[in-house]
């Protein structure tokens, strides 16, 4: 069923709610439990507001994400009109909110307030991240809020302070160098040059010119009227086809043509080096992964989830 049909089935139900600036009824649902206490979406938002994450989300409302409604639906597994209507209704939204998120709604009155931020958080998927922003500090604290405790500013500040200290301990633990060693191949520092062609035959000719005629990438690029591109960063961050080829390549080797999103790449590996703990990017990656894994372990034991996007 077309998006317009879905819109027609939800717009009347949500028109009045959409005009408001407050949170919908869905924000009252419980999200997770820990230490004998339930936590609701409204409290997740209160914590996000205290961290400044909610204000950042409100700024995103004015910047459309782009893309199509059908792509958005597929990304959430909403394959039928009935599934889409039920999902939107459950979160207090309608297709107007989806189209606005995608930048397909013109309005002389820019959306604002908690209602608009809620719609953006749900449509973008950011709401799950906000839930973890509260669940993680609750999971690691030695003194979780009791059933009758109000999550006021002082309680939230205590949780955030304890969480910051806990993160520092994890980031300075032996887990970080161990992760760098375990991910030596994936986090290798790579520098390469590339040519990108829309035509496969042109890419094949470029490979022959480099391999048989001894031309440089710059010379081939000049003949083809294109620019030489640069690839820099960790191996794990490169496009999949490029990554799979570079992982076993040696510096100076020319790879390709490599099909990637409608284009054909010819890549010359310039250098590849094992990750070093002194590299800020490598250290940041290892610390983030160590914290994420530690949160996952402690949350599995202490957090019970009831509501997820």
């Amino acid at each position: 069923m077309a998006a317009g049909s879905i819109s027609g089935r939800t717009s009347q139900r949500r028109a009045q709610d959409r005009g408001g600036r407050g949170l919908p009824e869905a924000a009252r649902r419980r999200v997770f439990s820990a230490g004998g206490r339930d936590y609701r979406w409204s409290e997740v938002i209160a914590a996000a507001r205290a961290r400044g994450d909610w204000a950042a989300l409100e700024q995103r409302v004015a910047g459309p994400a782009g893309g199509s409604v059908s792509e958005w639906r597929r990304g959430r597994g909403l394959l039928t009109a009935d599934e889409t209507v039920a999902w939107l209704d459950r979160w207090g939204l309608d297709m107007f909110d989806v189209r606005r998120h995608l930048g397909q709604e013109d309005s002389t009155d820019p959306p604002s307030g908690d209602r608009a931020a809620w719609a953006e958080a749900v449509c973008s998927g950011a709401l799950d991240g906000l839930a973890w922003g509260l669940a993680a500090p609750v999971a690691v604290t030695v003194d979780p809020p009791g059933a009758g405790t109000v999550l006021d500013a002082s309680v939230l500040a205590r949780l955030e302070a304890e969480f910051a200290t806990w993160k520092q301990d994890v980031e300075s633990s032996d887990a970080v160098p161990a992760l760098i060693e375990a991910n030596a191949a994936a986090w290798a520092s790579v520098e390469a040059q590339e040519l990108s062609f829309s035509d496969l035959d042109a890419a094949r000719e470029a490979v022959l010119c480099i391999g048989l005629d001894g031309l440089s990438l710059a010379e081939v690029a000049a003949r083809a009227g294109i620019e030489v591109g640069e690839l820099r960063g960790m191996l794990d961050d490169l496009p999949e086809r490029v990554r799979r080829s570079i992982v076993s390549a040696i510096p100076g080797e020319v790879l390709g043509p490599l099909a990637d999103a409608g284009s054909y790449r010819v890549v010359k590996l310039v250098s590849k080096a094992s990750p070093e703990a002194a590299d800020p990017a490598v250290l940041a990656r290892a610390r983030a992964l160590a914290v994420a894994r530690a949160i996952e372990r402690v949350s599995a034991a202490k957090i019970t989830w009831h509501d997820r996007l």
Side-chain angles (χ1 to χ4, degrees):
M1 184 177 293
S5 300
I6 298 173
S7 179
R9 295 167 60 180
T10 60
S11 58
Q12 289 184 344
R13 249 183 302 174
R14 296 296 174 194
Q16 183 175 359
D17 179 56
R18 191 169 63 227
R21 295 171 62 86
L23 294 170
E25 184 69 19
R28 299 180 61 182
R29 292 202 304 264
R30 65 176 183 163
V31 187
F32 64 88
S33 299
R37 186 189 194 281
D38 289 335
Y39 294 81
R40 303 187 181 278
W41 283 116
S42 56
E43 293 177 314
V44 166
I45 292 169
R49 202 188 305 277
R51 293 192 306 270
D53 292 345
W54 194 249
L57 189 66
E58 289 177 318
Q59 294 298 316
R60 280 176 48 182
V61 174
S68 69
V69 171
S70 60
E71 290 171 339
W72 179 88
R73 288 175 57 192
R74 284 196 300 272
R76 284 147 188 81
L78 304 174
L79 305 181
T80 69
D82 287 340
E83 289 174 342
T84 304
V85 170
W87 190 90
L88 291 170
D89 192 56
R90 186 171 184 273
W91 292 101
L93 306 179
D94 64 16
M95 285 305 301
F96 178 93
D97 297 300
V98 175
R99 291 195 301 271
R100 185 172 62 190
H101 163 67
L102 298 173
Q104 298 176 4
E105 284 288 347
D106 295 326
S107 175
T108 56
D109 182 20
S112 61
D114 283 345
R115 173 62 179 73
W118 168 268
E120 175 62 21
V122 173
C123 290
S124 67
L127 195 63
D128 260 350
L130 298 183
W132 274 110
L134 176 59
V138 168
V140 305
T141 182
V142 296
D143 183 22
T149 303
V150 177
L151 288 188
D152 57 19
S154 62
V155 173
L156 290 172
R158 175 180 68 81
L159 291 174
E160 287 296 328
E162 290 185 20
F163 185 59
T165 300
W166 178 87
K167 280 183 62 179
Q168 290 176 350
D169 290 341
V170 174
E171 290 173 346
S172 60
S173 70
D174 293 339
V176 172
L179 283 172
I180 295 176
E181 182 178 354
N183 290 277
W187 294 352
S189 176
V190 172
E191 181 180 352
Q193 295 178 317
E194 69 165 352
L195 304 177
S196 181
F197 299 88
S198 58
D199 181 72
L200 177 57
D201 288 337
R204 287 171 173 165
E205 184 178 352
V207 173
L208 292 175
C209 288
I210 297 168
L212 297 181
D213 300 338
L215 298 182
S216 67
L217 262 70
E219 290 171 324
V220 173
R223 289 187 177 187
I226 60 177
E227 298 291 330
V228 177
E230 290 190 350
L231 293 173
R232 295 176 183 269
M234 293 186 196
L235 180 64
D236 211 29
D237 294 334
L238 299 181
E240 182 181 359
R241 290 293 298 272
V242 177
R243 182 173 67 247
R244 290 206 310 259
S245 298
I246 285 182
V247 69
S248 58
I250 60 175
E253 189 171 348
V254 177
L255 311 168
L258 306 175
D260 180 50
S263 65
Y264 301 92
R265 299 173 183 251
V266 175
V267 178
K268 181 178 181 180
L269 179 60
V270 176
S271 66
K272 183 170 60 175
S274 299
E276 298 287 344
D279 184 338
V282 172
L283 186 58
R285 174 93 36 119
R287 285 174 170 173
L289 182 56
V291 169
R293 289 185 175 179
I295 289 174
E296 185 177 347
R297 288 194 299 270
V298 71
S299 297
K302 296 185 177 181
I303 301 291
T304 300
W305 292 96
H306 305 293
D307 199 22
R308 305 293 293 274
L309 274 177

